[in-house]
Amino acid sequence: MAQFELSGVTLEVPEAFLTKRIRMKLKNGGYEGHESRAAQLVVDYGDRVLDLGSGVGYVATLCAMLAGAENVVTVEANPDLLPVIRGNLALNDCEEATVLHGAAVGAPVAGGTLALKQARAFWASSVSDAGGAETIDVPALVLRDLIAEHKPTVVMMDVEGAEATMFDAPWPDHVRVLVMELHPKRYPDTVIKRIFDCMSASGLIYAPALSRGQMIGFCREGVALDAEG
């Protein structure tokens, strides 16, 4: 088990999950650096945070430290990562955060499960359309149901391309900030246009202070952002 410190968060990651690239990013602070910076800009104590695509639980733990652990729900599709996430939450006194197993989707799917292709690099696991021997079935969690149940004010999202299905209808008013990673190699540019159009229809505007490259942020007008952090 390797241990790392990032933005005041202590992380323990099993050696089996560490490629050379992941280890370097964890050591030099580059792992999910844009996401963590955005979280520190927008998450206040008492915010309700929904984190989609937890990985090893870094952003979820950071949000739990900022918002209060009882206000954070984090979702992860890879079952092998669930004990890692719970361990890292506990390591940072954030055990009250809720960890859900499943893959976030935009609409219900037949059978209620999706095929997940696992990868050694934990950030590379993704839903597979083909299924097969190299995949496992995981629960499909519909985004609108997650939002209706947990009523987040802040949504953090890194779902390896599944975001393409999540912007067909306006989001509710209680979501004041969305920070997400785009995956343009997985879908055409028209999907990115649909995301921006949907956010505009939801009253959420593009936030340059939360955005870097494929990481983009949206917030409601009047949300104060300190771009210097």
Side-chain angles (χ1 to χ4, degrees):
M1 188 77 74
Q3 190 172 96
F4 306 90
E5 296 283 338
L6 294 89
S7 298
V9 176
T10 301
L11 292 177
E12 289 188 346
V13 183
E15 294 287 345
F17 288 114
L18 291 173
T19 64
K20 182 177 180 180
R21 183 183 177 202
I22 292 173
R23 186 187 298 274
M24 181 176 297
K25 283 185 170 290
L26 285 162
K27 286 181 68 174
N28 66 21
Y31 174 68
E32 295 190 343
H34 298 326
E35 295 94 322
S36 63
R37 177 180 176 275
Q40 291 175 81
L41 285 172
V42 301
V43 177
D44 296 321
Y45 188 80
D47 268 319
R48 298 182 303 277
V49 180
L50 177 62
D51 173 46
L52 304 176
S54 191
V56 295
Y58 170 43
V59 170
T61 302
L62 179 60
C63 289
M65 295 168 69
L66 294 167
E70 70 278 7
N71 296 315
V72 173
V73 176
T74 187
V75 176
E76 174 54 44
N78 187 343
D80 294 342
L81 290 174
L82 300 181
V84 180
I85 297 164
R86 293 190 176 103
N88 284 324
L89 286 166
L91 196 61
N92 293 275
D93 298 320
C94 294
E95 298 97 325
E96 291 185 66
T98 299
V99 181
L100 300 179
H101 177 219
V105 295
V109 299
T113 63
L114 291 169
L116 179 76
K117 186 174 183 180
Q118 292 175 294
R120 184 192 167 202
F122 58 81
W123 59 22
S125 294
S126 61
V127 171
S128 169
D129 293 330
E134 295 182 355
T135 66
I136 59 171
D137 289 337
V138 301
L141 304 179
V142 179
L143 176 63
R144 66 170 179 262
D145 294 339
L146 290 169
I147 289 177
E149 180 176 358
H150 301 291
K151 294 182 170 52
T153 55
V154 176
V155 177
M156 309 291 293
M157 181 189 301
D158 184 0
V159 289
E160 300 302 326
E163 66 272 9
T165 69
M166 297 179 181
F167 295 88
D168 293 327
W171 285 37
D173 291 344
H174 56 76
V175 177
R176 66 178 182 85
V177 176
L178 166 66
V179 178
M180 63 178 294
E181 183 169 349
L182 296 173
H183 298 85
K185 291 183 179 180
R186 296 180 180 266
Y187 41 70
D189 291 347
T190 52
V191 171
I192 298 174
K193 180 181 185 301
R194 188 166 76 244
I195 291 171
F196 275 77
D197 288 347
C198 178
M199 290 292 94
S200 179
S202 305
L204 291 154
I205 58 177
Y206 174 71
L210 302 179
S211 305
R212 290 288 188 281
Q214 293 177 192
M215 183 63 55
I216 59 172
F218 300 91
C219 66
R220 297 206 175 273
E221 186 175 358
V223 172
L225 298 176
D226 178 6
E228 298 302 318

Coordinates of all heavy atoms in Angstrom, one line a residue, residues 35-89:
E35 N -9.6 19.2 -10.9 CA -10.8 18.9 -10.1 C -10.7 19.4 -8.7 O -11.7 20.0 -8.1 CB -11.1 17.4 -10.2 CG -11.5 16.9 -11.5 CD -10.2 16.3 -12.2 OE1 -9.1 16.9 -12.1 OE2 -10.4 15.3 -12.9
S36 N -9.6 19.1 -8.1 CA -9.4 19.5 -6.7 C -9.4 21.0 -6.5 O -10.0 21.6 -5.6 CB -8.1 18.9 -6.1 OG -7.0 19.4 -6.7
R37 N -8.8 21.7 -7.5 CA -8.7 23.2 -7.4 C -10.2 23.7 -7.5 O -10.6 24.7 -6.8 CB -7.9 23.7 -8.6 CG -7.8 25.3 -8.7 CD -6.9 25.7 -9.8 NE -6.9 27.1 -10.0 CZ -7.9 27.8 -10.7 NH1 -8.8 27.1 -11.3 NH2 -7.8 29.1 -10.8
A38 N -10.9 23.2 -8.5 CA -12.3 23.6 -8.6 C -13.1 23.4 -7.4 O -13.9 24.2 -7.0 CB -12.9 22.9 -9.8
A39 N -12.9 22.2 -6.8 CA -13.7 21.9 -5.6 C -13.4 22.9 -4.5 O -14.3 23.4 -3.8 CB -13.4 20.5 -5.1
Q40 N -12.1 23.3 -4.3 CA -11.8 24.2 -3.3 C -12.3 25.6 -3.6 O -12.5 26.4 -2.7 CB -10.2 24.3 -3.2 CG -9.7 23.0 -2.6 CD -8.2 23.0 -2.6 OE1 -7.5 23.5 -1.7 NE2 -7.6 22.3 -3.6
L41 N -12.6 25.9 -4.9 CA -13.2 27.2 -5.2 C -14.7 27.3 -4.9 O -15.2 28.3 -4.6 CB -13.0 27.5 -6.7 CG -11.6 28.0 -7.1 CD1 -11.5 28.0 -8.7 CD2 -11.2 29.3 -6.5
V42 N -15.4 26.2 -5.1 CA -16.8 26.2 -5.0 C -17.5 25.5 -3.9 O -18.7 25.9 -3.6 CB -17.4 25.7 -6.4 CG1 -16.9 26.5 -7.6 CG2 -17.2 24.2 -6.5
V43 N -16.9 24.6 -3.2 CA -17.6 23.8 -2.2 C -17.4 24.5 -0.9 O -16.3 24.7 -0.4 CB -17.0 22.4 -2.1 CG1 -17.7 21.6 -1.0 CG2 -17.2 21.6 -3.5
D44 N -18.6 24.8 -0.3 CA -18.6 25.4 1.1 C -19.2 24.4 2.0 O -19.9 23.4 1.6 CB -19.5 26.7 1.0 CG -18.9 27.7 0.2 OD1 -17.7 27.9 0.2 OD2 -19.7 28.4 -0.5
Y45 N -19.0 24.6 3.3 CA -19.6 23.8 4.3 C -21.1 23.8 4.2 O -21.7 24.9 4.1 CB -19.1 24.2 5.7 CG -19.6 23.2 6.8 CD1 -18.8 22.0 7.0 CD2 -20.7 23.4 7.5 CE1 -19.2 21.1 7.9 CE2 -21.1 22.4 8.4 CZ -20.4 21.3 8.6 OH -20.8 20.3 9.5
G46 N -21.7 22.6 4.2 CA -23.1 22.5 4.1 C -23.6 22.3 2.7 O -24.8 21.9 2.5
D47 N -22.7 22.4 1.7 CA -23.1 22.1 0.3 C -23.4 20.6 0.3 O -22.7 19.8 1.0 CB -22.0 22.4 -0.7 CG -22.1 23.8 -1.3 OD1 -23.2 24.1 -1.6 OD2 -21.1 24.5 -1.4
R48 N -24.3 20.2 -0.6 CA -24.5 18.8 -0.9 C -23.8 18.4 -2.2 O -24.1 19.0 -3.2 CB -26.0 18.5 -0.9 CG -26.8 18.8 0.4 CD -28.3 18.5 0.3 NE -28.9 19.2 -0.8 CZ -29.4 20.4 -0.8 NH1 -29.2 21.1 0.3 NH2 -30.0 21.0 -1.8
V49 N -22.9 17.5 -2.1 CA -22.0 17.2 -3.2 C -22.3 15.8 -3.8 O -22.4 14.8 -3.0 CB -20.5 17.3 -2.9 CG1 -19.7 17.0 -4.1 CG2 -20.2 18.7 -2.3
L50 N -22.5 15.7 -5.1 CA -22.6 14.4 -5.8 C -21.4 14.3 -6.6 O -21.2 15.1 -7.5 CB -23.9 14.4 -6.6 CG -24.1 13.1 -7.4 CD1 -24.2 11.8 -6.6 CD2 -25.4 13.2 -8.3
D51 N -20.6 13.2 -6.4 CA -19.3 13.0 -7.1 C -19.5 11.7 -7.9 O -19.7 10.6 -7.3 CB -18.2 12.9 -6.0 CG -16.9 12.5 -6.7 OD1 -16.5 13.0 -7.7 OD2 -16.2 11.5 -6.1
L52 N -19.4 11.9 -9.2 CA -19.6 10.7 -10.1 C -18.3 10.3 -10.7 O -17.6 11.1 -11.4 CB -20.6 11.1 -11.2 CG -21.9 11.6 -10.8 CD1 -22.8 12.1 -12.0 CD2 -22.7 10.6 -10.0
G53 N -17.9 9.1 -10.5 CA -16.6 8.6 -10.9 C -15.5 8.8 -9.9 O -14.6 9.6 -10.0
S54 N -15.6 8.1 -8.8 CA -14.8 8.4 -7.6 C -13.4 8.0 -7.7 O -12.5 8.7 -7.1 CB -15.4 7.7 -6.4 OG -14.9 8.1 -5.2
G55 N -13.0 7.0 -8.5 CA -11.6 6.6 -8.5 C -11.2 6.0 -7.2 O -11.8 5.1 -6.6
V56 N -10.1 6.6 -6.6 CA -9.7 6.2 -5.3 C -10.3 7.1 -4.2 O -9.9 6.9 -3.0 CB -8.1 6.1 -5.2 CG1 -7.6 5.1 -6.1 CG2 -7.5 7.5 -5.5
G57 N -11.2 8.0 -4.6 CA -11.9 8.8 -3.6 C -11.2 10.1 -3.2 O -11.6 10.7 -2.2
Y58 N -10.3 10.5 -4.0 CA -9.6 11.8 -3.7 C -10.5 13.0 -3.7 O -10.7 13.7 -2.7 CB -8.4 12.0 -4.7 CG -7.8 13.4 -4.6 CD1 -7.5 14.0 -3.3 CD2 -7.5 14.1 -5.7 CE1 -6.9 15.2 -3.2 CE2 -6.9 15.4 -5.6 CZ -6.6 15.9 -4.4 OH -6.0 17.1 -4.3
V59 N -11.2 13.2 -4.8 CA -12.1 14.4 -4.9 C -13.3 14.2 -3.9 O -13.7 15.2 -3.2 CB -12.6 14.6 -6.3 CG1 -13.7 15.7 -6.3 CG2 -11.5 15.0 -7.2
A60 N -13.8 13.0 -3.7 CA -14.9 12.8 -2.7 C -14.4 13.1 -1.3 O -15.1 13.8 -0.6 CB -15.3 11.4 -2.8
T61 N -13.2 12.7 -1.0 CA -12.7 13.0 0.3 C -12.4 14.5 0.5 O -12.8 15.1 1.6 CB -11.4 12.2 0.6 OG1 -11.6 10.8 0.4 CG2 -10.8 12.5 2.0
L62 N -11.9 15.2 -0.5 CA -11.6 16.6 -0.4 C -13.0 17.3 -0.2 O -13.1 18.2 0.7 CB -10.9 17.1 -1.6 CG -10.6 18.6 -1.7 CD1 -9.8 19.1 -0.5 CD2 -10.0 18.9 -3.0
C63 N -14.0 16.9 -1.0 CA -15.3 17.6 -0.8 C -15.9 17.3 0.5 O -16.6 18.2 1.1 CB -16.2 17.1 -1.9 SG -15.8 17.7 -3.6
A64 N -15.7 16.1 1.1 CA -16.2 15.8 2.4 C -15.6 16.6 3.5 O -16.2 17.0 4.4 CB -16.0 14.3 2.7
M65 N -14.3 16.9 3.3 CA -13.6 17.8 4.2 C -14.1 19.2 4.2 O -14.1 19.9 5.2 CB -12.1 17.7 4.0 CG -11.5 16.4 4.3 SD -9.8 16.1 3.7 CE -8.9 17.2 4.8
L66 N -14.5 19.6 3.0 CA -15.0 21.0 2.7 C -16.4 21.2 3.1 O -16.8 22.2 3.7 CB -14.8 21.4 1.3 CG -13.3 21.5 0.8 CD1 -13.3 21.6 -0.7 CD2 -12.6 22.7 1.4
A67 N -17.3 20.2 2.7 CA -18.7 20.3 2.9 C -19.3 19.7 4.1 O -20.4 20.0 4.6 CB -19.4 19.7 1.7
G68 N -18.5 18.8 4.7 CA -19.0 17.9 5.8 C -19.3 16.6 5.2 O -20.0 16.5 4.2
A69 N -18.7 15.5 5.8 CA -18.8 14.2 5.1 C -20.2 13.7 4.9 O -20.6 13.1 3.9 CB -18.0 13.2 6.0
E70 N -21.1 14.1 5.9 CA -22.5 13.6 5.8 C -23.2 14.2 4.6 O -24.3 13.8 4.2 CB -23.3 14.0 7.0 CG -23.5 15.5 7.2 CD -22.3 16.2 7.8 OE1 -21.2 15.6 8.0 OE2 -22.5 17.4 8.2
N71 N -22.6 15.2 3.9 CA -23.2 15.9 2.8 C -22.7 15.4 1.4 O -23.1 16.0 0.4 CB -23.0 17.4 2.9 CG -23.7 18.0 4.1 OD1 -24.8 17.7 4.3 ND2 -23.0 18.9 4.8
V72 N -21.9 14.4 1.4 CA -21.2 13.9 0.2 C -21.7 12.5 -0.2 O -21.7 11.6 0.7 CB -19.7 14.0 0.3 CG1 -19.0 13.3 -0.9 CG2 -19.2 15.4 0.5
V73 N -22.1 12.4 -1.5 CA -22.4 11.1 -2.0 C -21.4 10.9 -3.2 O -21.3 11.7 -4.1 CB -23.8 11.0 -2.5 CG1 -24.1 9.6 -3.2 CG2 -24.8 11.2 -1.4
T74 N -20.7 9.7 -3.2 CA -19.8 9.5 -4.3 C -20.1 8.1 -4.9 O -20.5 7.2 -4.2 CB -18.3 9.5 -3.8 OG1 -17.4 9.4 -4.9 CG2 -18.0 8.4 -2.8
V75 N -20.0 8.1 -6.3 CA -20.4 6.9 -7.1 C -19.2 6.4 -7.8 O -18.5 7.1 -8.5 CB -21.5 7.3 -8.1 CG1 -21.9 6.1 -8.9 CG2 -22.7 7.9 -7.3
E76 N -19.0 5.1 -7.7 CA -17.9 4.4 -8.5 C -18.4 3.1 -9.1 O -19.0 2.3 -8.4 CB -16.7 4.2 -7.5 CG -15.6 3.4 -8.2 CD -15.1 4.0 -9.5 OE1 -14.9 5.2 -9.6 OE2 -14.9 3.2 -10.4
A77 N -18.1 2.8 -10.3 CA -18.5 1.6 -11.0 C -17.6 0.4 -10.7 O -18.1 -0.7 -10.6 CB -18.5 1.9 -12.5
N78 N -16.3 0.6 -10.5 CA -15.4 -0.5 -10.3 C -15.5 -1.0 -8.9 O -15.1 -0.3 -8.0 CB -14.0 0.0 -10.7 CG -13.0 -1.1 -10.7 OD1 -13.2 -2.2 -10.1 ND2 -11.8 -0.9 -11.2
P79 N -16.0 -2.2 -8.7 CA -16.2 -2.7 -7.3 C -14.9 -2.9 -6.6 O -14.8 -2.8 -5.4 CB -16.9 -4.1 -7.5 CG -16.5 -4.5 -8.9 CD -16.4 -3.2 -9.7
D80 N -13.7 -3.1 -7.3 CA -12.5 -3.2 -6.7 C -12.0 -2.0 -6.0 O -11.1 -2.0 -5.1 CB -11.4 -3.7 -7.7 CG -11.7 -5.1 -8.2 OD1 -12.4 -5.8 -7.6 OD2 -11.1 -5.4 -9.3
L81 N -12.6 -0.8 -6.4 CA -12.2 0.4 -5.8 C -13.0 0.8 -4.6 O -12.6 1.7 -3.8 CB -12.3 1.6 -6.8 CG -11.2 1.5 -8.0 CD1 -11.5 2.6 -9.0 CD2 -9.8 1.7 -7.4
L82 N -14.1 0.2 -4.3 CA -15.0 0.6 -3.2 C -14.2 0.5 -1.9 O -14.3 1.5 -1.1 CB -16.2 -0.3 -3.2 CG -17.1 -0.2 -4.5 CD1 -18.3 -1.1 -4.3 CD2 -17.5 1.2 -4.8
P83 N -13.5 -0.6 -1.5 CA -12.8 -0.6 -0.3 C -11.7 0.5 -0.2 O -11.4 1.0 0.9 CB -12.2 -2.0 -0.1 CG -12.3 -2.5 -1.5 CD -13.4 -1.9 -2.2
V84 N -11.1 0.8 -1.3 CA -10.1 1.9 -1.4 C -10.7 3.2 -1.0 O -10.2 4.0 -0.3 CB -9.4 1.9 -2.7 CG1 -8.3 3.0 -2.8 CG2 -8.8 0.5 -3.1
I85 N -11.9 3.5 -1.7 CA -12.6 4.8 -1.4 C -12.9 4.9 0.1 O -12.7 5.9 0.7 CB -13.8 4.9 -2.3 CG1 -13.4 4.9 -3.8 CG2 -14.6 6.1 -2.0 CD1 -14.6 4.6 -4.7
R86 N -13.6 3.8 0.6 CA -14.0 3.8 2.0 C -12.8 4.0 2.9 O -12.9 4.7 3.9 CB -14.8 2.6 2.3 CG -16.1 2.5 1.6 CD -17.0 1.4 2.1 NE -18.3 1.4 1.4 CZ -18.7 0.6 0.4 NH1 -17.8 -0.3 0.0 NH2 -19.9 0.7 -0.1
G87 N -11.7 3.3 2.6 CA -10.5 3.4 3.4 C -9.9 4.8 3.4 O -9.5 5.3 4.5
N88 N -10.0 5.5 2.2 CA -9.4 6.9 2.2 C -10.3 7.9 2.9 O -9.9 8.8 3.5 CB -9.2 7.3 0.7 CG -7.9 6.6 0.2 OD1 -6.9 6.4 0.9 ND2 -7.9 6.2 -1.1
L89 N -11.6 7.6 2.8 CA -12.6 8.5 3.5 C -12.3 8.3 5.0 O -12.2 9.3 5.8 CB -14.0 8.1 3.2 CG -14.5 8.6 1.8 CD1 -15.8 7.9 1.5 CD2 -14.7 10.1 1.8

